[in-house]
């Protein structure tokens, strides 16, 4: 095995003008994306035609125009409506494959994709249809694109804990096809502790645990995601900066934050991208990462998130390296695979 690299690349050599190219070519992991949020309007209409589902918009342009959000809920209403065109195993495959090809083009070498089964089972689609289609795309991505892809099942937090338990029961026969569970949907009014027992059960089952917290919700939700749910990563978490003690905890325990800058902009978490706190999170020593969340709805895939955010807040080559290194550190792959990706990252920087 290669010796651990302790020295960092010589960042001063890298011309600032070449930063967009560096961001593009560097290998990276994506740790926060909802596969249903990668459904492009064109695919929504194609699947609607294939399945005979009615879409209440005249065409792709009219649908895209509706993507003007004021907060998380205004997005979720459209996002759940868009997912209603997904009925068959092949639909789930096609959606995931389209994302995986885009991810590969952005030099994403590893991705951990969220899926929302309750959005589909509520419409009579079976858990097996959902998971089999997504998982088959993950297997093909490894073979055909060289991208490793894992699945994380998310519970919808606006629904009850009982419904989360039922969802878990339905998914357990397919346990070998997903690595963990998360918590998403409407955050405010649905604190992590609502799901304490179902997360405890998932922990006993050896599932990896993550939760959205501190996107619109207060730092208290990040604390309870950590201390009650015992999650290993926080999705978003940008509101943690309001609580210095929480920032210390996140830094000390190296809890990754999966930050999604363009999502934060589109959902008005920050009024301007130039006000985004990604730089502050890195400066505080947090294991922050950059991710696309719902790329079809928020204006870009992961590299777009990198390039727009770097331009808006003036980040540089060392931040690019740190964010990519953080993405591998924060992933749910084993230490040998992490080491191999880190070496690849260092090689790209050394020869850039
Ligand atoms: N937050 C909460 N739930 C979600 C999101 C998000 O950004 N995207 C898809 N479901
Ligand atoms: Zn999200």
């Amino acid at each position: 095995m290669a010796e651990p690299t302790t020295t960092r690349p010589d960042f001063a050599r890298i011309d600032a003008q070449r930063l967009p190219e560096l961001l593009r070519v560097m290998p990276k992991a994506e740790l926060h994306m909802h596969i249903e949020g990668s459904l492009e309007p064109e695919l929504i209409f194609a699947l609607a035609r294939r399945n005979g589902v009615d879409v209440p918009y005249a065409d792709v342009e009219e649908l895209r125009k509706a993507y003007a959000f004021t907060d998380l809920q205004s997005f979720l209403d459209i996002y759940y409506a868009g997912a209603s065109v997904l009925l068959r195993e092949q639909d789930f495959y096609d959606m995931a494959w389209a994302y995986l090809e885009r991810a590969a083009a952005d030099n994403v070498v590893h991705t951990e994709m969220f899926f929302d089964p309750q959005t589909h089972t509520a419409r009579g689609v079976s858990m097996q249809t959902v998971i089999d289609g997504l998982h088959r795309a993950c297997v093909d991505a490894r073979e055909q694109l060289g991208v490793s892809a894992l699945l994380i099942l998310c519970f919808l937090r606006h629904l009850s804990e009982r419904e989360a338990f039922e969802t878990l029961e339905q998914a357990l026969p397919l346990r070998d096809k997903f690595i963990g569970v998360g918590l998403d949907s409407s955050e405010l009014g649905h604190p992590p502790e609502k799901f304490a027992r179902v997360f405890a059960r998932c922990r006993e089952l050896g599932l990896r645990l993550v939760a959205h917290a501190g996107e619109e919700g207060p730092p208290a939700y990040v604390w309870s995601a950590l201390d009650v749910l015992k999650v290993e990563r926080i999705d978003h978490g940008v509101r943690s900066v309001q609580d210095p003690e929480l920032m210390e905890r996140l830094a000390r325990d190296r809890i990754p934050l999966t930050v999604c800058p363009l999502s934060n902009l589109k959902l008005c978490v920050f009024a301007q991208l130039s006000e985004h706190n990604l730089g502050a999170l890195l400066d505080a020593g947090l294991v922050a990462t950059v991710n696309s969340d719902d790329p079809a709805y928020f204006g870009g895939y992961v590299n777009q998130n990198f390039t727009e955010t770097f331009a808006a807040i003036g980040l540089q080559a060392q931040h690019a390296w740190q964010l990519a290194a953080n993405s591998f550190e924060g992933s749910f792959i084993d230490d040998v695979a992490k080491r191999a990706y880190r070496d690849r990252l260092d090689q790209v920087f050394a020869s850039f």
Side-chain angles (χ1 to χ4, degrees):
M1 203 173 71
E3 284 294 304
T5 322
T6 45
T7 49
R8 294 185 170 200
D10 176 10
F11 300 114
R13 275 187 321 103
I14 299 173
D15 183 346
Q17 296 217 314
R18 297 177 70 214
L19 200 47
E21 175 64 3
L22 179 66
L23 293 169
R24 194 181 67 74
V25 301
M26 70 177 187
K28 55 190 74 77
E30 182 158 45
L31 306 179
H32 182 164
M33 69 84 50
H34 303 259
I35 197 62
E36 293 90 349
S38 73
L39 256 188
E40 292 288 345
E42 290 79 4
L43 189 53
I44 290 180
F45 275 92
L47 293 175
R49 268 194 302 279
R50 182 157 104 188
N51 291 330
V53 176
D54 199 33
V55 180
Y57 296 91
D59 52 31
V60 164
E61 285 70 43
E62 200 186 294
L63 179 55
R64 243 186 243 285
K65 272 202 206 113
Y67 295 178
F69 311 117
T70 50
D71 58 10
L72 175 58
Q73 193 60 50
S74 65
F75 154 70
L76 290 170
D77 294 341
I78 282 202
Y79 161 85
Y80 295 130
S84 69
V85 300
L86 297 158
L87 293 183
R88 296 175 212 293
E89 197 245 28
Q90 188 65 39
D91 304 339
F92 290 91
Y93 178 93
D94 291 345
M95 169 174 67
W97 186 253
Y99 160 71
L100 289 161
E101 281 191 312
R102 310 255 335 217
D106 277 0
N107 287 303
V108 171
V109 293
H110 173 72
T111 180
E112 298 180 4
M113 297 147 53
F114 294 139
F115 67 106
D116 285 343
Q118 288 161 293
T119 306
H120 313 299
T121 53
R123 298 179 290 109
V125 177
S126 77
M127 183 67 80
Q128 183 160 8
T129 298
V130 177
I131 295 184
D132 280 356
L134 298 177
H135 184 258
R136 189 159 60 85
C138 293
V139 171
D140 285 357
R142 187 178 285 274
E143 285 169 11
Q144 296 174 37
L145 303 172
V147 174
S148 71
L150 301 172
L151 293 170
I152 296 177
L153 180 159
C154 280
F155 300 118
L156 298 182
R157 68 199 306 156
H158 67 275
L159 300 178
S160 67
E161 191 187 38
R162 183 182 53 75
E163 288 163 299
F165 265 117
E166 286 166 10
T167 302
L168 179 63
E169 280 309 309
Q170 290 163 11
L172 281 183
L174 302 150
R175 165 73 181 85
D176 57 332
K177 295 184 175 165
F178 61 99
I179 54 154
V181 298
L183 187 64
D184 67 1
S185 188
S186 322
E187 186 181 6
L188 285 170
H190 302 284
E193 34 297 17
K194 180 176 165 186
F195 296 91
R197 283 169 303 184
V198 74
F199 268 69
R201 177 76 189 120
C202 291
R203 193 154 174 259
E204 279 170 13
L205 290 165
L207 288 158
R208 310 303 297 256
L209 308 180
V210 300
H212 283 54
E215 179 185 19
E216 288 188 340
Y221 284 22
V222 178
W223 281 112
S224 56
L226 294 172
D227 292 337
V228 181
L229 302 189
K230 304 200 184 302
V231 301
E232 300 164 81
R233 287 199 302 248
I234 296 289
D235 296 314
H236 293 296
V238 289
R239 291 192 188 257
S240 303
V241 292
Q242 295 164 1
D243 181 340
E245 213 181 307
L246 176 58
M247 292 289 278
E248 271 172 36
R249 164 81 184 278
L250 293 167
R252 191 193 65 222
D253 289 353
R254 298 199 70 71
I255 305 287
L257 296 194
T258 62
V259 177
C260 306
L262 291 179
S263 164
N264 294 154
L265 178 67
K266 290 287 164 14
L267 301 187
C268 308
V269 173
F270 295 91
Q272 311 275 345
L273 203 51
S274 58
E275 292 169 16
H276 200 284
N277 63 14
L278 178 64
L281 296 170
L282 290 173
D283 288 347
L286 267 61
V287 186
T289 63
V290 166
N291 308 271
S292 67
D293 206 5
D294 299 281
Y297 292 90
F298 298 150
Y301 289 77
V302 70
N303 281 2
Q304 193 83 18
N305 274 270
F306 272 104
T307 49
E308 288 195 30
T309 309
F310 271 59
I313 63 177
L315 298 182
Q316 293 158 357
Q318 69 268 27
H319 302 111
W321 180 86
Q322 188 69 63
L323 287 161
N326 289 350
S327 74
F328 298 124
E329 179 183 339
S331 71
F332 290 144
I333 53 180
D334 65 38
D335 286 346
V336 173
K338 284 185 185 183
R339 182 79 249 154
Y341 284 133
R342 247 299 289 281
D343 287 345
R344 252 168 96 174
L345 175 66
D346 289 346
Q347 275 158 21
V348 166
F349 270 76
S351 61
F352 186 76

